[in-house]
């Protein structure tokens, strides 16, 4: 009975260790999972090595107890190592300050072939976690993760490659990400293709990527599509459809779209003139920091005595800003407002 119990226990330890070893190749901080697996496998091997002695009745009770004790310590250590790996992963996620040696642990695990850790390390290096940002090293680890089949953050890899001037490879990874449904990659392909910066993204292709990103609900893509439809830039002019996309993008918080929507309402593009709707759109863009929206909103409010105090505040903000041309216009409007308010 003891021999059977020992054998079952040993097989369970070996099986669990083997499972953790297989997980270590795919899950974050695989290095720690490898440590857990090693402890369990060693414990199982130790127990199996004692089976012949149990069958022959050899060994003192002290040695038998010592064997079980060592095996138990290894199993407890493996379990603790596994729980520690979960805790560390929670602390080193991108954007979260982690422990000092986190990058070193991830680097060693990534070198052992863990794709998830290669990705995590690349993200941390790109974000400057635990030190200055290192885009070149970030690209290397993100490339390793992407080549191993990790689909997340391929668009970030493309962006980093663009910043390093490697457009051809950037386009490759952006296309890979876009074909997998990454709307940010679709937008980047559309923006680069529209400017003629991307080899292989011909006229017609970038429009399709932009339309797909907008259809998927990407706020900036919807705003960009609306703006281009409004001006007939790369698309047939369609002001009514442009207003639809600008409204959707504005509702999702896109500042430029809100400003362009205000222009469409103010000047009756894609529908009737609607000053109240223009004020609403400009106010939304102005709240998000658009200097042009502040200027236009202030100009519309100047004609209404109840809105002149807000108009003055907006003009003063623009006049004090860094854009000299807009500041000069704001000062002219302030002079006009002073003249209107003279007794």
């Amino acid at each position: 009975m003891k021999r059977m119990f020992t054998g079952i226990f040993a097989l369970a330890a070996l099986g669990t260790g083997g499972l953790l070893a297989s997980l270590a190749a795919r899950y974050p901080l695989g290095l720690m999972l490898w440590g857990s697996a090693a402890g369990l496998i060693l414990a199982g091997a130790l127990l199996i090595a004692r089976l012949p002695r149990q069958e022959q009745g050899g060994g003192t009770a002290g040695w038998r107890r010592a064997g079980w004790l060592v095996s138990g310590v290894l199993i407890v250590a493996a379990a603790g190592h596994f729980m520690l790996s979960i805790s560390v992963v929670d602390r080193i996620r991108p954007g979260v300050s982690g422990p000092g040696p986190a990058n070193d642990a991830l680097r060693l695990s990534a070198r052992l072939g863990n794709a998830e850790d290669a990705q995590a390390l690349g993200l941390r290096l790109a974000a400057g976690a635990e030190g200055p940002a290192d885009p070149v090293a970030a690209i290397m680890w993100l490339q390793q993760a992407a080549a191993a089949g990790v689909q997340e953050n391929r668009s970030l890899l493309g962006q980093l490659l663009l910043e390093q001037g490697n457009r051809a490879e950037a386009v490759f990874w952006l296309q890979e990400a876009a074909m997998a449904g990454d709307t940010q990659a679709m937008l980047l392909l559309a923006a680069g293709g529209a400017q003629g910066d991307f080899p292989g993204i011909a006229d017609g292709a970038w429009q399709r990527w932009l339309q797909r990103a907008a259809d998927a609900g990407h706020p900036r893509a919807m705003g960009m599509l609306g703006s281009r439809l409004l001006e007939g830039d790369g698309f047939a002019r369609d002001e009514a459809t442009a207003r639809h996309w600008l409204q959707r993008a504005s509702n999702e918080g896109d500042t430029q779209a809100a400003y362009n929507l205000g222009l469409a309402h103010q000047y009756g593009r894609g529908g009737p003139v609607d000053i109240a709707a223009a004020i609403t759109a400009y106010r939304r863009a102005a709240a998000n920091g658009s200097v042009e929206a502040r200027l236009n909103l202030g100009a519309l409010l100047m004609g209404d005595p109840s809105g002149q105090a807000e108009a003055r505040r907006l003009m003063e903000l623009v006049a004090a800003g860094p854009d000299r041309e807009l500041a000069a216009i704001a000062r002219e409007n302030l002079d006009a407002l002073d003249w209107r308010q003279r007794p």
Side-chain angles (χ1 to χ4, degrees):
M1 180 62 71
K2 288 183 179 180
R3 184 173 182 275
M4 181 181 297
F5 178 74
T6 302
I8 292 173
F9 199 84
L11 290 174
L14 287 172
T16 306
L19 175 62
L20 289 179
S22 67
L23 292 178
R26 301 193 303 274
Y27 285 86
L29 230 66
L31 179 66
M32 288 195 173
L33 293 176
W34 279 118
S36 302
L40 288 169
I41 291 171
L42 185 58
L46 179 64
L47 291 173
I48 287 176
R50 295 181 61 252
L51 286 177
R53 294 181 64 81
Q54 278 194 343
E55 187 176 20
Q56 298 163 11
T60 64
W63 279 109
R64 287 196 296 271
R65 284 195 296 270
W68 276 107
L69 179 62
V70 171
S71 299
V73 168
L74 286 171
I75 290 170
V76 170
H81 214 187
F82 179 69
M83 297 306 296
L84 178 62
S85 72
I86 295 173
S87 173
V88 172
V89 166
D90 284 339
R91 294 201 304 273
I92 65 167
R93 291 180 184 184
V96 179
S97 178
N103 283 4
D104 292 336
L106 286 169
R107 187 175 287 105
L108 180 56
S109 181
R111 284 173 178 163
L112 291 172
N114 188 297
E116 293 286 346
D117 285 352
Q119 176 186 235
L121 178 60
L123 292 174
R124 287 173 64 80
L125 291 170
E130 300 182 19
D134 188 347
V136 175
I139 286 171
M140 180 185 72
W141 292 115
L142 289 173
Q143 284 174 325
Q144 176 178 315
V150 177
Q151 295 189 1
E152 297 85 352
N153 300 297
R154 290 184 180 185
S155 61
L156 173 61
L157 174 57
Q159 285 179 271
L160 292 172
L161 287 164
L162 280 178
E163 292 171 4
Q164 297 299 310
N166 191 342
R167 292 182 179 176
E169 191 172 358
V171 169
F172 170 79
W173 287 115
L174 288 174
Q175 286 178 318
E176 289 286 307
M179 286 187 287
D182 188 316
T183 55
Q184 180 64 20
M186 295 176 195
L187 176 65
L188 291 171
L189 287 170
Q195 295 171 3
D197 291 339
F198 286 172
I201 306 297
D203 192 50
W206 69 263
Q207 288 94 332
R208 288 191 292 274
W209 284 124
L210 182 59
Q211 186 71 60
R212 282 185 61 181
D215 290 339
H218 191 291
R220 182 80 286 273
M222 292 190 291
M224 182 177 170
L225 177 59
S227 299
R228 290 185 175 275
L229 286 168
L230 195 66
E231 302 301 331
D233 184 3
F235 294 84
R237 187 188 301 273
D238 186 343
E239 294 184 351
T241 304
R243 188 183 283 201
H244 161 77
W245 285 113
L246 291 172
Q247 184 67 64
R248 284 190 60 184
S250 177
N251 291 344
E252 294 297 324
D254 188 85
T255 302
Q256 187 62 40
Y259 170 70
N260 289 336
L261 180 62
L263 289 174
H265 283 305
Q266 182 177 357
Y267 296 106
R269 303 189 63 181
V273 172
D274 189 338
I275 298 301
I279 288 174
T280 298
Y282 284 144
R283 187 167 276 135
R284 178 177 286 176
N288 288 334
S290 172
V291 179
E292 294 88 348
R294 289 172 180 169
L295 187 63
N296 287 12
L297 176 59
L300 290 177
L301 293 173
M302 282 173 60
D304 180 3
S306 66
Q308 288 179 352
E310 184 182 359
R312 179 176 294 280
R313 179 181 62 81
L314 290 166
M315 293 301 174
E316 287 174 348
L317 282 173
V318 177
D323 190 312
R324 294 184 178 182
E325 184 177 348
L326 296 182
I329 297 172
R331 285 192 291 271
E332 290 176 3
N333 286 340
L334 284 169
D335 291 341
L337 193 57
D338 288 338
W339 185 85
R340 288 187 185 191
Q341 292 178 333
R342 282 190 299 183

